[in-house]
Structure formats: structure tokens, C-alpha cells
Amino acid sequence: LRVTSPLNSLVVSGIPTTTSYATSFSGSYAQLFTNGASYSVSLSALRQSTTQQNTLFNPNVTSRLSIGFNQPLLNGSGRLPNQRFMLVARTNLTTAQEVFRQQVIASVTALETAYWGLAAFPLNVQLAQDSLAAAKELLDENRKQEQIGTMSQLDVVTAESQVAGSERDLIIAQTNLEQQVTTLKQLIKKKDDPLVDAATIVVTDRLPEPRDADLPDLAKVLASAQANRPELREAQNNLRNQDIAIQFARNDQLPNVALFGLYAGSGLQGNTATLTGGAAGSLSQTFSAAYPETAVGMSFSASIRNRSAQADSTRAQLERNQLLTGLQNTHN
């Protein structure tokens, strides 16, 4: 850095115009802890030369070390205000896992339902075929009896109507079977595949016979559902996140009270070639507290009738009530 400045007096510098050259260095580090406390350390050094005639060191090296800390006592104090988004992110991770579990359960359930539906529809087709055969046999018997005069024409028409109805039921059963095959193929294939579309699915498993032992105890299955259903866990995680938001909103209404402290040291030396001078000498004075500076205090600030924070707290509580109602509805 090069600066040339005109002066209105010769008393201080001895010349009407001064030119200075400066080279600086600075570094800092700050750390925030989960309880809200923080500290910072900074170190800076400046080498400067000037054309002034009345300076003590020319060129000179100045350095400064400062260490400060700050501890909130009310607003911003504690683990929750400073880890809010981390806690929410961890809960959201488990929520995403529950959403995935729910999708897997829905997919597996749909596939099982389609499979056993496909196993049942051929039986419906067989039943419709047997009904059609029985209706045709009845129609033939009625026609024979009509020819020998032991049955009226109305009985034959009624039998013909039963045959037509059975043919309709057979067509419906066959159509439902083809639709179920298509549904199952869509569930098991990832993309359009002519081989899969043209394939014939043969169900090798028979429908199991219903047994009383297969029906679980109602109290046990309800307890298991309350503990393991993904949508319940997802709702509970959302409620947990909302509790964090409520606590954060309440903390935000508190006054800002903080305890702070500062220590600083400075050094000044000429830029000489000896070890006791120049940058080494200046830093030695800084770290040995040759010119110390200390400060300790407490700060306080508060907003009168903080409407914004109060509104956030009320809104968070209302949203929690809505989530709690939704969770109870899911339980029910």
C-alpha cells in the first residue's frame, strides 16, 4: 500500500507532504459451540515506512493479538437454538426412511394382491364355464320336453335366457382374468418389454384354505400397527420437529443477555536486523503482554412487545395442534 498525503502543518512531520508504504498481514479464527458460547482469536501485523521526519521508528512494525469470548445467557443460549436445523435434519432422515418403508409395503401389498387375484380369477372362469354348461344342459332338456308336450314354450325361453346370462358371466370372468394378468405384468416389469407383454403367466400356487388360526388376535395386531406403521412414525417425527420449532420460538422471545470478555496485546518495534527488533520483537511484545488490554462486561437488549416473535410462537403452537390432530386421526 502506498499513500501520499498533503499536510497543513510542518510541526508533526517536518515536511508538507508525506508518503507512506505499508505491508500488512492478518489472520483470525472463530468457533461457535453448541451451547451458544463462542470465541475468536485474531492476529495482525503491519510494517510501515514513511517520509515523515519525526517518527520514532522508521520503518516500524506493529502487531496485535486479541482473544474474545461471548456467552449468551438467555436468548440463543443452550443446545436447541444452535442445533435446531441439525436436529430437524436428523429427524427428517428417519422420516425419509419411513416414507421408503411405506412405499415398499404398498408395492409388495399391491403385488401380492394382484398375484392372489390372478390365482382366484381362473376359478371364477371355471365356475362360469360350469354354470354355462349346466344352463345349456337344462335348455336341451326343456326343448325335448317341449317337443313331447310336457313343457311350455315359456320354460324354453326362460332356459335360453339363463344360457345367455351364463355366457355373459363367462365373458366378464375371462375379461377380468385378462385385466388381472395385465395388472400383474405392469407391477413386475420396469419398462415396456414385448417379451413380457406376450408372456403367459401361470399361477402355480393354489388359494389357501381359510382357517381360524390364520386370524391374528385383534389387540396384538393393533398394538403392532401402532408401533410399526410407517405413517404413524412419520407423523410422530413431524410432531417432534414442531416441538423443536416451538421451543426455538419461545427462546426467541427472551431478552438478549450475554457475558463477554476481551484480551489484547500490542507490540511496536523498528524494522531492524536484530532478533529483538523488527517483526520478531513486535510479536514478542504482543505475546508477552507488554502492552495489555482487557475488558469484561455484560450486554443486555430487549424488544418491547416483540410482536414478530410472539406471532411465530403462536403459529408454531397452532401448527402443532394440527399435527397432533392428524396423528390422532391416523391412530383412529
Side-chain angles (χ1 to χ4, degrees):
L1 177 66
R2 180 180 183 275
V3 179
T4 301
S5 304
L7 302 178
N8 195 29
S9 173
L10 301 179
V11 177
V12 176
S13 62
I15 56 176
T17 302
T18 62
T19 301
S20 60
Y21 302 87
T23 301
S24 63
F25 162 80
S26 64
S28 62
Y29 177 81
Q31 176 71 50
L32 175 65
F33 296 99
T34 55
N35 64 346
S38 63
Y39 76 91
S40 62
V41 179
S42 63
L43 177 65
S44 61
L46 173 67
R47 180 189 183 280
Q48 188 176 20
S49 61
T50 179
T51 57
Q52 294 185 22
Q53 298 179 357
N54 299 325
T55 57
L56 181 62
F57 298 107
N58 191 17
N60 66 85
V61 176
T62 59
S63 60
R64 177 179 174 82
L65 170 69
S66 64
I67 303 174
F69 77 92
N70 185 78
Q71 172 63 66
L73 302 179
L74 293 177
N75 193 333
S77 176
R79 175 173 174 265
L80 188 141
N82 299 283
Q83 285 191 314
R84 173 190 177 185
F85 297 106
M86 293 179 62
L87 297 174
V88 170
R90 291 171 183 169
T91 305
N92 289 342
L93 179 60
T94 60
T95 300
Q97 295 173 349
E98 296 302 327
V99 171
F100 176 74
R101 287 183 62 244
Q102 187 173 4
Q103 292 175 347
V104 171
I105 291 174
S107 299
V108 173
T109 302
L111 185 59
E112 289 183 348
T113 302
Y115 178 83
W116 290 116
L118 183 59
F121 278 118
L123 301 179
N124 295 337
V125 173
Q126 183 63 41
L127 178 62
Q129 291 173 347
D130 294 342
S131 298
L132 178 59
K136 288 182 177 180
E137 184 179 354
L138 178 61
L139 177 60
D140 293 339
E141 291 293 332
N142 290 351
R143 284 176 177 174
K144 292 179 181 179
Q145 293 185 18
E146 180 193 8
Q147 292 176 359
I148 62 177
T150 60
M151 187 171 287
S152 65
Q153 178 67 28
L154 180 59
D155 294 328
V156 176
V157 174
T158 301
E160 290 176 347
S161 176
Q162 291 178 354
V163 171
S166 298
E167 291 176 345
R168 177 204 59 199
D169 294 340
L170 177 59
I171 293 174
I172 293 176
Q174 291 173 340
T175 302
N176 291 336
L177 176 60
E178 294 297 328
Q179 290 179 345
Q180 194 68 17
V181 170
T182 303
T183 300
L184 185 58
K185 288 180 179 180
Q186 290 176 347
L187 290 174
I188 62 178
K189 67 180 182 179
K190 295 182 178 180
K191 58 182 179 179
D192 292 336
D193 190 345
L195 294 178
V196 177
D197 295 336
T200 300
I201 298 179
V202 178
V203 179
T204 58
D205 297 323
R206 299 182 58 185
L207 287 176
E209 294 293 334
R211 298 176 302 175
D212 293 339
D214 294 332
L215 298 177
D217 181 69
L218 180 60
K220 292 182 179 180
V221 295
L222 285 179
S224 177
Q226 297 282 357
N228 300 312
R229 286 294 297 180
E231 58 268 30
L232 283 175
R233 292 183 178 179
E234 182 180 353
Q236 291 168 354
N237 287 340
N238 292 336
L239 190 62
R240 189 176 297 111
N241 282 343
Q242 195 60 34
D243 289 337
I244 295 175
I246 290 176
Q247 296 179 41
F248 181 83
R250 290 175 179 173
N251 182 270
D252 198 37
Q253 298 180 71
L254 299 176
N256 291 292
V257 180
L259 180 67
F260 66 88
L262 172 69
Y263 166 79
S266 301
L268 172 63
Q269 284 291 328
N271 189 24
T272 64
T274 62
L275 294 178
T276 59
S282 179
L283 292 174
S284 177
Q285 291 178 338
T286 299
F287 286 102
S288 63
Y291 308 99
E293 175 185 352
T294 58
V296 177
M298 180 178 292
S299 63
F300 173 84
S301 65
S303 299
I304 300 177
R305 305 181 69 179
N306 192 347
R307 297 295 192 185
S308 177
Q310 293 175 2
D312 291 340
S313 179
T314 302
R315 181 172 59 252
Q317 186 62 52
L318 292 175
E319 292 176 353
R320 185 187 186 279
N321 294 339
Q322 293 177 348
L323 292 174
L324 188 60
T325 302
L327 176 60
Q328 186 60 49
N329 289 339
T330 307
H331 275 292
N332 293 340

